[in-house]
Amino acid sequence: MGLLECCARCLIGAPFASLVATGLCFFGVALFCGCGHEALTGTEQLIETYFSKNYQDYEYLIDVIHAFQYVIYGTASFFFLYGALLLAEGFYTTGAVRQIFGDYKTTICGKGLSATFVGITYVLTIVWLLVFACSAVPVYIYFNTWTTCQSIANPSKTSASIGTLCADARMYGVLPWNAFPGKVCGSNLLSICKTSEFQMTFHLFIAAFVGAAATLVSLLTFMIAATYNFAVLKLMGRGTKF
């Protein structure tokens, strides 16, 4: 009975919402950072191979890609650390909220710490909402390119000439307007879409987008749970732990 009671108390005091949010956060960040990093590398290779032969045309793009990759390293490290801190804070606030009777009391410092985490998580959620929106941009570009390739592969479904169906990297700001050739049309574009590099990069960007969405959901869950627990600690001093 002693072991069963101990296990029951651990389960009752566990912050299930924080546990789920932590797992979702780790999964989402790993998916976003890992797939995003490789997708950027694949994009660099596609630009170098098919869209421009002059290094000066895509020199700035490569610098931007490398900068984003370094940001990804920092993002992964930060979120894994912050996720662990939020989980620990979830155990703390959940323990304080669950404890209705007994000697355990939350302190003013503890309440202030909880409020700080609520504020930081709120700001991070707003920032990550922008990251989520930005992660949809490459998916949109690759989807448009893939749709153009489908039209080329099935000319009966379009009234346009196959030679006029193109993917222009300059149109999306990926390359400057003076880049040559800057675009690929017709059967040449179809052959690019059939390459493993294009297919893999496209799917990696989709996976990164899904990872960004999962991270956003985890941050929203953290924010709701932390806000609820803080409100209970502040106003009631008791309640159901989240």
Side-chain angles (χ1 to χ4, degrees):
M1 287 297 296
L3 180 60
L4 292 176
E5 288 180 0
C6 180
C7 292
R9 288 183 179 180
C10 289
L11 290 175
I12 291 174
F16 292 106
S18 296
L19 286 171
V20 171
T22 302
L24 193 61
C25 180
F26 287 172
F27 168 77
V29 170
L31 193 62
F32 173 79
C33 293
C35 293
H37 182 278
E38 293 303 312
L40 289 172
T41 301
T43 298
E44 179 182 340
Q45 294 174 351
L46 288 172
I47 293 295
E48 291 177 350
T49 305
Y50 302 107
F51 287 89
S52 180
K53 302 300 182 182
N54 186 358
Y55 176 76
Q56 292 181 347
D57 290 340
Y58 54 85
E59 181 180 6
Y60 177 73
L61 174 65
I62 291 179
D63 292 338
V64 172
I65 288 177
H66 290 171
F68 272 116
Q69 288 177 332
Y70 283 117
V71 170
I72 284 175
Y73 299 146
T75 300
S77 302
F78 171 79
F79 269 94
F80 278 108
L81 176 61
Y82 190 70
L85 290 175
L86 284 177
L87 180 60
E89 193 270 344
F91 273 102
Y92 167 77
T93 54
T94 301
V97 173
R98 288 281 188 186
Q99 189 70 32
I100 299 176
F101 302 104
D103 295 330
Y104 182 81
K105 301 286 185 181
T106 185
T107 63
I108 295 177
C109 179
K111 291 179 181 179
L113 184 62
S114 297
T116 302
F117 276 114
V118 171
I120 294 176
T121 305
Y122 180 82
V123 173
L124 283 177
T125 302
I126 299 299
V127 173
W128 196 260
L129 187 61
L130 298 176
V131 174
F132 172 69
C134 292
S135 67
V137 174
V139 176
Y140 170 76
I141 295 174
Y142 274 88
F143 178 76
N144 278 351
T145 304
W146 178 82
T147 302
T148 304
C149 288
Q150 294 300 108
S151 299
I152 297 173
N154 300 281
S156 61
K157 295 183 178 180
T158 179
S159 59
S161 172
I162 293 178
T164 61
L165 296 176
C166 305
D168 194 339
R170 300 169 299 181
M171 182 177 65
Y172 300 106
V174 176
L175 292 175
W177 281 107
N178 60 352
F180 182 81
K183 65 178 181 178
V184 181
C185 303
S187 58
N188 291 331
L189 178 60
L190 181 60
S191 64
I192 293 175
C193 291
K194 290 181 178 179
T195 61
S196 59
E197 291 85 359
F198 178 87
Q199 295 290 336
M200 179 62 70
T201 303
F202 184 22
H203 289 95
L204 284 172
F205 272 123
I206 294 175
F209 177 73
V210 173
T215 305
L216 180 61
V217 172
S218 71
L219 287 173
L220 289 171
T221 305
F222 271 131
M223 186 173 63
I224 294 171
T227 302
Y228 173 83
N229 282 336
F230 174 74
V232 171
L233 290 173
K234 183 70 175 177
L235 302 177
M236 299 170 55
R238 65 192 320 191
T240 303
K241 249 187 199 173
F242 216 60

